[in-house]
C-alpha cells in the first residue's frame, strides 16, 4: 500500500509494538538478544555539537546481502556478503514448439538450487521483433544458429529434389527456416491470446534454439483453464499443417512452392504431435496435469504425475529416437544410414532428452515453491524498528535500537513522519570509533513510494511488490499508515530458501 506516513507515529521499542512483534523473528535471523553493536559506548557524543561529515556511504544501487543476523540488534562490524539486486520473480517459460526449456507457470528462467530465480529489469532476451497484442517478441541469439542449421540441412535435401536450383537452394532453405519459425510464433501467440483472455499477464515471447517460449507470469486458476491454455498451441499447429496441406493441392509438388509447402506441413505436424506428448514441460504434460488436478482436486498431484511422465518420456527419447532411426522408421533404408547420421541422431536425442528432463524437474521445484509461498508474510518477516531524527549520531541510534530489541532504524522528521531508512550495509561500513560522530541521515536511503509495503502482503503479492521496486530494505506500514517495521530483502530471500528446502 502506498501511504505517505499516515497519522500514526512510529512505535518505539518500549511501546505496544513489543507485545505485537517481539524481537527479530525473521527466518534465518538470530534472536533479538544477539551481540550488541556497541559495548558500553557513550549515550551521546562528547565532541562537537554538529556531527562530522559521515564517510561516503555505499551506492544505493548496491544491494549486498548481510550475513545472517546482522542489523541494529547484532554485530554490524562484519562485511556483508553479496546478494542479488532484487527480490526475484516466479515467472515461467513454457516448453512448446518442438521443445522449449521450461513449463509455463512451473519453471522459472534462471532459477537455480537454493536461490530464487532472478528477473531482469526489463523483458529483454534478444532482438525485439515487435509487440503483437502488447507482448514483446524477441529472437534469441541461439535462433540464428538453428536457422543456419536448418538452412544447411534443408538445402542438402533440396539438392536431391531440385538439383537445378544450384546455390539458390540455400536461399530457399533460409526462407523455409524463417517460415517455420513464423509458424512457431503463431503457436506461441495462441498461448498468449488465451492467457490474456484469462487475465494472466504475459511477460514476453522468445524464439530460441528449440522452438518458442511464452512467459506467462501467473498460474491458471482452474484445471479447465490450464487445459485450454496448453491445448491451443498444438491445435494452432495442427490447423497450420492442414492449411499448408490444402495449399499443396494447388501447386506442382516438384516445384519450389510445392517443396516449401510440403516441408511446412510436415514440420507443423511434428510440432503439434510432439507437444501433445503427455509429459512436462510439453503442452501435453500440462494437459495431463490439468486432468489429474481435476480428478484429485490438487494441482500439486497433477504436477508430480506429469513431471514423472515427462522424465520417463525423456528416457524414451534418449533411447528410442536413435533406435527408430537405425530401423529406418523415418523412411530411409537401414543400409543407407551412415556413421555420421547415427552420431547426429544420438546427439539430437540427448539434447531433447536433457531439455525434457530439466523442464520436468523445474516444474516439480516451482510447484513445491508455490505450495509454500503463502508462508512468506510481510508481517512475520518484518524487523521491529525504532524512529530516530536526522541528526541523531549512529552510536546513539544503535544504543536505542539495542535497548528496544529492534533491528532496524527509521529516520523521521520532527512530526514523526518517516523520511528514510538506515541501510545495514552502510552501518557495517562505519568503524565503531567513528559512530559517535556520524549522523544517521548520512547513512540513510530516501523513501520512495515503492519502498512502502503493506503489512498485509503475503505470498506472490509480496514478492511482486518487492520485485517491482528493488531495494535492500522496505518500510512496512499498517493500512492506517502507521509504521509497523522494516522488511529486509535478505530476510525474504532466506525465507524463500527455507521454503524451497522443505519437502511438500
Amino acid at each position: 500500500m502506498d501511504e505517505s506516513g499516515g497519522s500514526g507515529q512510529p512505535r518505539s521499542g518500549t511501546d505496544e509494538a513489543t507485545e505485537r512483534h517481539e524481537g527479530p523473528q525473521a527466518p534465518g535471523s538470530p534472536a533479538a538478544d544477539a551481540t550488541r553493536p556497541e559495548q558500553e559506548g557513550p549515550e551521546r557524543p562528547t565532541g562537537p555539537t554538529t556531527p562530522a561529515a559521515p564517510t561516503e556511504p555505499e551506492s544505493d544501487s548496491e544491494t549486498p546481502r548481510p550475513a545472517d543476523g546482522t542489523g541494529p540488534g547484532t554485530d554490524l562490524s562484519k562485511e556483508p556478503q553479496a546478494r542479488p539486486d532484487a527480490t526475484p520473480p516466479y515467472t515461467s517459460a513454457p516448453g512448446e514448439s518442438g521443445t522449449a526449456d521450461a513449463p509455463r507457470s512451473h519453471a522459472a528462467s534462471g532459477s537455480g538450487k537454493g536461490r530464487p530465480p532472478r528477473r531482469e529489469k526489463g523483458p529483454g532476451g534478444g532482438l525485439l521483433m515487435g509487440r503483437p497484442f502488447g507482448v514483446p517478441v524477441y529472437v534469441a541469439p541461439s535462433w540464428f544458429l538453428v536457422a543456419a542449421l536448418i538452412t544447411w540441412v534443408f538445402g542438402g535435401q533440396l539438392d536431391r529434389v531440385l538439383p537445378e536450383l544450384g546455390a539458390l537452394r540455400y536461399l530457399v532453405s533460409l526462407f523455409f527456416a524463417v517460415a517455420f519459425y513464423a509458424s512457431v510464433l503463431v503457436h506461441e501467440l495462441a498461448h498468449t491470446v488465451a492467457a490474456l483472455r484469462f487475465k494472466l499477464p504475459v511477460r514476453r515471447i522468445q524464439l530460441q534454439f528449440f522452438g518458442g517460449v511464452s512467459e506467462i507470469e501467473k498460474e491458471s486458476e482452474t484445471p479447465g483453464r490450464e487445459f485450454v491454455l496448453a491445448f491451443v498451441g498444438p491445435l494452432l499447429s495442427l490447423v497450420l499443417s492442414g492449411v499448408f496441406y490444402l495449399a499443396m493441392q494447388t501447386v506442382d509438388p516438384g516445384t519450389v512452392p510445392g517443396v516449401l509447402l510440403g516441408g511446412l506441413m510436415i514440420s507443423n505436424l511434428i510440432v503439434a504431435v510432439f507437444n501433445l506428448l503427455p509429459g512436462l514441460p510439453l503442452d501435453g504434460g500440462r494437459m495431463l496435469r490439468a486432468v489429474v488436478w481435476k480428478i484429485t482436486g490438487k494441482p500439486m498431484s497433477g504436477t508430480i504425475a506429469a513431471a514423472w511422465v515427462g522424465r520417463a518420456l525423456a528416457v524414451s527419447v534418449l533411447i528410442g529416437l536413435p533406435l527408430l532411426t537405425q530401423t529406418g522408421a523415418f523412411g530411409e533404408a537401414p543400409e543407407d544410414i551412415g556413421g555420421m547420421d547415427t552420431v547426429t541422431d544420438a546427439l539430437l536425442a540427448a539434447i531433447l532428452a536433457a531439455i525434457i528432463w530439466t523442464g520436468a524437474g523445474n516444474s516439480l521445484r516451482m510447484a513445491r515453491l508455490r505450495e509454500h509461498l503463502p508462508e512468506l508474510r510481510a508481517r512475520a518477516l518484518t524487523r521491529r524498528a525504532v524512529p530516530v531524527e536526522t541528526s541523531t549520531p549512529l552510536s546513539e541510534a544503535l544504543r536505542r535500537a539495542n535497548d528496544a530489541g529492534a533491528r532496524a532504524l527509521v529516520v523521521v522528521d520532527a512530526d514523526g513522519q518517516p523520511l528514510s531508512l538506515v541501510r545495514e550495509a552502510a552501518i557495517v561500513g562505519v568503524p565503531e570509533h567513528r559512530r559517535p560522530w556520524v549522523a544517521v541521515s548520512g547513512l540513510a536511503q530516501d523513501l520512495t513510494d515503492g519502498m512502502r509495503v503493506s503489512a498485509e502482503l503475503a505470498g506472490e503479492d509480496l514478492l511482486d511488490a518487492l520485485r517491482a521496486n528493488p531495494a535492500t530494505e522496505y518500510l512496512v506500514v499498517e493500512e492506517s499508515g502507521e509504521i509497523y517495521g522494516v522488511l529486509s530483502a535478505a530476510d525474504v530471500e532466506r525465507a524463500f530458501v527455507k521454503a524451497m528446502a522443505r519437502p511438500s
Side-chain angles (χ1 to χ4, degrees), residues 274 277-280 282 308-318 353 356:
F274 189 82
L277 293 176
L280 287 173
L282 304 176
W308 279 104
V309 172
R311 287 177 168 176
L313 180 63
V315 174
S316 300
V317 169
L318 180 63
I356 297 173

Side-chain angles (χ1 to χ4, degrees), residues 154-493:
F154 195 68
Q157 295 176 345
L158 281 177
D159 191 35
R160 294 193 294 268
V161 179
L162 299 170
E164 65 275 11
L165 286 177
L168 285 177
R169 67 182 183 274
Y170 292 109
L171 183 60
V172 176
S173 298
L174 179 60
F175 178 83
F176 170 79
V178 173
F180 169 67
Y181 269 85
S183 301
V184 171
L185 177 59
V186 172
H187 178 113
E188 297 303 329
L189 285 174
H191 291 298
T192 296
V193 171
L196 296 176
R197 174 67 178 81
F198 294 145
K199 310 297 184 185
L200 301 176
V202 182
R203 183 184 174 209
R204 67 176 177 179
I205 296 174
Q206 187 183 54
L207 301 180
Q208 50 187 231
F209 187 84
F210 264 106
V213 169
S214 300
E215 297 187 7
I216 300 174
E217 298 198 2
K218 291 188 179 295
E219 192 174 66
S220 301
E221 297 178 354
T222 65
R225 290 186 175 186
E226 173 84 351
F227 189 93
V228 171
L229 195 56
F231 180 63
V232 290
L235 177 62
L236 258 292
S237 293
L238 286 172
V239 170
L240 285 176
S241 182
V243 169
F244 289 128
Y245 174 77
L246 293 176
M248 279 178 58
Q249 310 309 310
T250 65
V251 298
D252 186 350
T255 63
V256 170
V259 172
L260 285 176
L261 290 171
L264 290 172
M265 179 199 71
I266 294 173
S267 60
N268 276 277
L269 183 61
I270 292 174
V271 166
V273 172
F274 189 82
N275 272 277
L276 285 172
L277 293 176
L280 287 173
L282 304 176
D283 290 326
R286 301 196 59 217
M287 293 162 64
L288 174 62
R289 174 182 182 270
V291 171
V292 177
W293 178 4
K294 180 67 175 178
I295 294 173
T296 64
K298 299 177 181 179
M300 187 64 181
S301 298
T303 301
I304 292 173
W308 279 104
V309 172
R311 287 177 168 176
L313 180 63
V315 174
S316 300
V317 169
L318 180 63
I319 299 174
L321 185 59
L323 290 179
L324 288 174
T325 303
Q326 290 298 314
T327 58
F330 296 113
E332 292 184 89
E335 59 271 13
D336 294 335
I337 301 174
M340 183 56 68
D341 292 332
T342 301
V343 172
T344 301
D345 292 337
L347 180 61
L348 177 62
I351 294 174
L352 289 175
I355 290 173
I356 297 173
W357 183 279
T358 302
N362 286 340
S363 299
L364 286 174
R365 282 191 292 273
M366 293 311 298
R368 184 172 68 243
L369 170 63
R370 288 182 180 278
E371 192 175 46
H372 292 301
L373 270 183
E375 301 172 16
L376 300 181
R377 297 186 299 274
R379 191 176 294 278
L381 295 173
T382 296
R383 300 176 176 185
R384 246 177 60 213
V386 294
V388 291
E389 294 188 353
T390 57
S391 60
T392 306
L394 178 59
S395 60
E396 170 64 13
L398 292 176
R399 185 194 65 78
R400 295 181 192 176
N402 196 69
D403 289 346
R407 299 185 56 237
L409 301 173
V410 179
V411 180
V412 298
D413 61 17
D415 297 325
Q417 300 303 315
L419 300 175
S420 56
L421 302 178
V422 179
R423 296 178 295 120
E424 282 188 326
I427 296 175
V428 173
V430 179
E432 189 168 345
H433 69 275
R434 289 277 301 150
R435 292 176 181 176
W437 317 106
V438 176
V440 292
S441 58
L443 307 176
Q445 180 178 5
D446 291 340
L447 281 171
T448 63
D449 289 341
M451 291 173 62
R452 300 172 188 264
V453 298
S454 170
E456 303 303 322
L457 289 178
E460 284 197 72
D461 291 336
L462 171 62
L463 296 174
D464 287 343
L466 305 193
R467 177 185 66 197
N469 300 278
T472 54
E473 289 93 15
Y474 300 83
L475 180 68
V476 181
V477 296
E478 298 282 9
E479 291 185 358
S480 63
E482 185 180 11
I483 296 174
Y484 182 78
V486 172
L487 177 65
S488 169
D491 290 343
V492 177
E493 182 176 331

Side-chain angles (χ1 to χ4, degrees), residues 51-66:
T55 53
E56 185 69 20
E58 298 176 18
S59 168
D60 288 344
S61 63
E62 297 176 2
T63 54
R65 176 182 179 181

